[in-house]
Amino acid sequence: MDELDSEILRLLQADARLSNRELARRLGVAPSTCLERVRALTRRGVIRGYHADINLGALNRGVQAMISVQVRPLSRAVIDAFEESVSKLPEVLSVFVLSGGDDFLLHVSAQDLDHLHAFLLDRLSKRKEIVGFRTSMIFQRVHNTVLSRLPDPAPAPR
Amino acid sequence: MDELDSEILRLLQADARLSNRELARRLGVAPSTCLERVRALTRRGVIRGYHADINLGALNRGVQAMISVQVRPLSRAVIDAFEESVSKLPEVLSVFVLSGGDDFLLHVSAQDLDHLHAFLLDRLSKRKEIVGFRTSMIFQRVHNTVLSRLPDPAPAPR
DNA sequence: ACTGAAAATCTACGCTC
DNA sequence: GAGCGTAGATTTTCAGT
């Protein structure tokens, strides 16, 4: 992971459809060099994929919410099963497994408030393992699509 | 937004680097047709961009947390300023503006626990408008990168 | 890591329905 | 207006250096 790799990641995070040629031009290297770097980053799992970012409104998902969930018993089996099944629901954008007061955070979207309400009642309230959940509406979201590499951690003192 | 458009969105969410030719082949239409559809979707703002998905570990961001924040006074000026400045911090992946008990939710990443701690102390604790915050570690995240269009809302009764 | 050339793809434009 | 096919321009890809 040298400077060139970091720059490639930066540019592809900003625009995944950059042609290899254009990428190479901006980095000041030959296209073949650039191509090999991108392939190596993909092979190593640093680049995990390329995804189009779609306007949620156009997908009939004008309403977003965060739902914090507590489940019991707090066993691996319950947690894994909950995460697995809930992440398949069409309304669910992301599932976070947390420490602390809540066990899960669900980022969901729905057509409107009625559908969100229906989702809460039909998909969550019925689950036996859920002992409580709290819903917060999302008014706005700012997403950082381009992430820089953070400085290396300082070595542990000895 | 017909069936063809929805399919295009689905395929480009799964793999934004699909060639137009391959996209057309999978949809059973001519490449020129496909290209025009994609352009129209982009022009209308349905497609907002294309982003590479990078392994956070490779960016020295092995640790993730959710931070719920309460600010006062709850005025537009305070909210806008907080959102604006916090979204620029390199550790911040996403900022959610919420209703309910908390005003913001910050999704952040850091090199390790030490750096996360430093972030909390140096970047949040010092802010006068913050009256409280609570940090939850993220053990795991499942992200739905391919979102289908939800059914149209039923028309309002009259 | 670069160069060059063959293969594949992109995309503008004129055509048909 | 929406989709199609073609051809010229561009890009990708992979030798060889």
Side-chain angles (χ1 to χ4, degrees), chain A residues 85-102:
Chain A
S85 73
V86 95
S87 66
K88 286 184 184 151
L89 299 174
E91 292 86 356
V92 171
L93 308 178
S94 264
V95 180
F96 298 90
V97 185
L98 300 184
S99 76
D102 298 306

Side-chain angles (χ1 to χ4, degrees), chain A residues 60 111-115, chain B residues 150-158:
Chain A
N60 271 338
Q111 293 96 318
D112 50 36
L113 283 177
D114 281 348
H115 283 87
Chain B
L150 295 180
D152 286 329
R158 59 191 167 89

Side-chain angles (χ1 to χ4, degrees), chain B residues 29-72:
Chain B
V29 297
S32 48
T33 303
C34 196
L35 185 64
E36 179 46 32
R37 289 293 193 124
V38 172
R39 282 189 177 157
L41 288 167
T42 305
R43 197 173 344 106
R44 283 193 281 146
V46 174
I47 296 176
R48 296 163 29 131
Y50 306 91
H51 306 290
D53 175 16
I54 307 301
N55 187 328
L56 288 182
L59 295 176
N60 272 338
R61 293 168 179 271
V63 161
Q64 288 179 67
M66 278 292 181
I67 311 171
S68 30
V69 180
Q70 290 182 294
V71 300
R72 289 295 178 278

Side-chain angles (χ1 to χ4, degrees), chain A:
Chain A
M1 282 293 296
D2 58 8
E3 185 57 36
L4 186 57
D5 282 337
S6 294
E7 273 300 289
I8 289 174
L9 297 183
R10 192 176 67 75
L11 290 169
L12 287 181
Q13 284 180 90
D15 181 4
R17 299 220 66 162
L18 271 184
S19 74
N20 181 60
R21 193 184 179 72
E22 176 64 13
L23 196 55
R25 195 189 64 74
R26 296 200 195 175
L27 298 171
V29 298
S32 53
T33 304
C34 195
L35 184 63
E36 179 46 33
R37 290 293 192 121
V38 171
R39 282 185 179 159
L41 288 166
T42 305
R43 196 174 344 106
R44 284 194 280 146
V46 174
I47 296 176
R48 294 161 35 125
Y50 305 92
H51 306 292
D53 174 17
I54 307 300
N55 187 328
L56 288 181
L59 296 176
N60 271 338
R61 294 167 179 272
V63 160
Q64 288 179 67
M66 278 290 182
I67 311 171
S68 32
V69 180
Q70 289 182 293
V71 301
R72 289 293 178 278
L74 213 47
S75 66
R76 178 179 286 276
V78 168
I79 289 183
D80 288 351
F82 181 80
E83 174 183 334
E84 156 90 1
S85 73
V86 95
S87 66
K88 286 184 184 151
L89 299 174
E91 292 86 356
V92 171
L93 308 178
S94 264
V95 180
F96 298 90
V97 185
L98 300 184
S99 76
D102 298 306
D103 305 316
F104 290 96
L105 196 62
L106 310 182
H107 183 196
V108 305
S109 62
Q111 293 96 318
D112 50 36
L113 283 177
D114 281 348
H115 283 87
L116 177 63
H117 195 201
F119 172 83
L120 296 173
L121 296 178
D122 300 337
R123 295 278 119 79
L124 295 187
S125 297
K126 287 178 176 168
R127 289 179 169 264
K128 299 262 180 35
E129 72 272 37
I130 295 184
V131 297
F133 65 89
R134 206 163 42 85
T135 304
S136 297
M137 299 305 304
I138 298 175
F139 291 131
Q140 202 186 341
R141 176 185 185 181
V142 181
H143 193 63
N144 254 339
T145 52
V146 181
L147 302 174
S148 58
R149 193 176 147 80
L150 296 180
D152 286 329
R158 57 190 166 88

Side-chain angles (χ1 to χ4, degrees), chain B residues 7 9 16 20 42 45 62 70 72 75 77 90 92 96 137 146 154:
Chain B
E7 274 301 289
L9 297 184
N20 181 60
T42 305
Q70 290 182 294
R72 289 295 178 278
S75 65
V92 172
F96 298 91
M137 297 305 305
V146 181

